[in-house]
Amino acid sequence: MKGLVRARMYHPELIRHPDSCPALVLNADYTPLSYYPLSLWPWQTAIKAMFLERVDIVAHYDREVHSPSRSLKLPSVIALRQFVKPNEYPAFTRFNLFLRDRFRCVYCGSAKELTFDHVVPRAQGGRTMWENVATACAPCNLRKGGRTPAEAHMHIYREPIRPTSWQLQEHGRAFPPNYLHDSWRDYLYWDVELEP
């Protein structure tokens, strides 16, 4: 037909901007360095590490980048050549506290208006540490006030503990990111049942 312009078909990977092509970073044992947040490097960092021979490329995107002399497929999964030993215990931060408690109030189970609560109030000698601080929603925190759960007649469903980094990583697996490239799935095992 005269005047009809035929639309060109592109594979989505080919038109994807390189900045939206991060590389999943695996440790030397092919486990992710971190699940939450997911261990990702921008494409530039992954390529630099590749040229410095610090990583092995496990999988690629279809997307390529070009220099005057060569073209290179962007890595989608990389593995460190040297094992990085994770810290046994995570830092005591608000985010890690929420992750330990699975982003739920330990008193009512709500996931809204989260804050943290000293189980034994500071006014009664309670310290700011893993074993005395718990995730609480604002209404429960207000209701409990400066009392212990027993004094406030509130049941605490999860006693606060000092988690290991491994425990936090396991909790993080329950919160996968919005985007998972197909090449990452074999290394993340998000809710995958293994066949007998």
Side-chain angles (χ1 to χ4, degrees):
M1 226 177 172
K2 196 174 181 182
L4 180 65
V5 178
R6 191 172 176 190
R8 236 174 142 174
M9 298 299 289
Y10 289 99
H11 188 278
E13 292 287 338
L14 299 178
I15 60 174
R16 175 189 294 259
H17 191 277
D19 287 346
S20 63
C21 297
L24 175 67
V25 184
L26 306 176
N27 212 335
D29 64 354
Y30 283 67
T31 60
L33 282 179
S34 170
Y35 281 101
Y36 206 88
L38 194 57
S39 51
L40 300 176
W41 283 358
W43 68 273
Q44 300 95 324
T45 306
I47 287 177
K48 180 180 176 184
M50 181 184 78
F51 278 108
L52 293 173
E53 298 183 354
R54 294 182 181 157
V55 298
D56 291 320
I57 306 301
V58 179
H60 293 91
Y61 289 102
D62 289 333
R63 178 71 163 87
E64 293 182 350
V65 290
H66 304 275
S67 75
S69 61
R70 67 189 296 187
S71 57
L72 181 70
K73 280 191 170 188
L74 292 178
S76 62
V77 181
I78 57 176
L80 301 177
R81 289 190 175 174
Q82 290 195 341
F83 185 78
V84 175
K85 185 178 179 185
N87 291 330
E88 186 176 356
Y89 294 102
F92 181 54
T93 65
R94 182 184 295 252
F95 178 84
N96 285 342
L97 176 72
F98 289 171
L99 183 57
R100 179 201 67 187
D101 295 335
R102 299 176 189 217
F103 298 94
R104 297 276 178 194
C105 173
V106 297
Y107 300 111
C108 73
S110 172
K112 297 179 181 175
E113 298 182 69
L114 295 180
T115 183
F116 65 90
D117 173 60
H118 287 79
V119 178
V120 175
R122 287 186 291 179
Q124 295 184 28
R127 296 176 55 207
T128 304
M129 53 191 250
W130 281 112
E131 296 85 352
N132 190 50
V133 178
T135 303
C137 66
C140 284
N141 204 349
L142 187 61
R143 180 176 152 217
K144 180 177 169 287
R147 302 173 289 178
T148 65
E151 292 168 344
H153 304 291
M154 295 172 71
H155 179 71
I156 186 166
Y157 291 96
R158 279 185 305 279
E159 290 294 328
I161 61 162
R162 180 184 185 195
T164 64
S165 293
W166 182 84
Q167 288 170 319
L168 284 195
Q169 294 300 329
E170 282 299 304
H171 288 193
R173 289 167 59 116
F175 303 96
N178 293 334
Y179 171 76
L180 291 175
H181 190 263
D182 288 339
S183 65
W184 301 355
R185 296 181 188 274
D186 287 341
Y187 303 97
L188 298 177
Y189 307 109
W190 299 111
D191 301 316
V192 173
E193 283 190 36
L194 299 177
E195 294 181 12

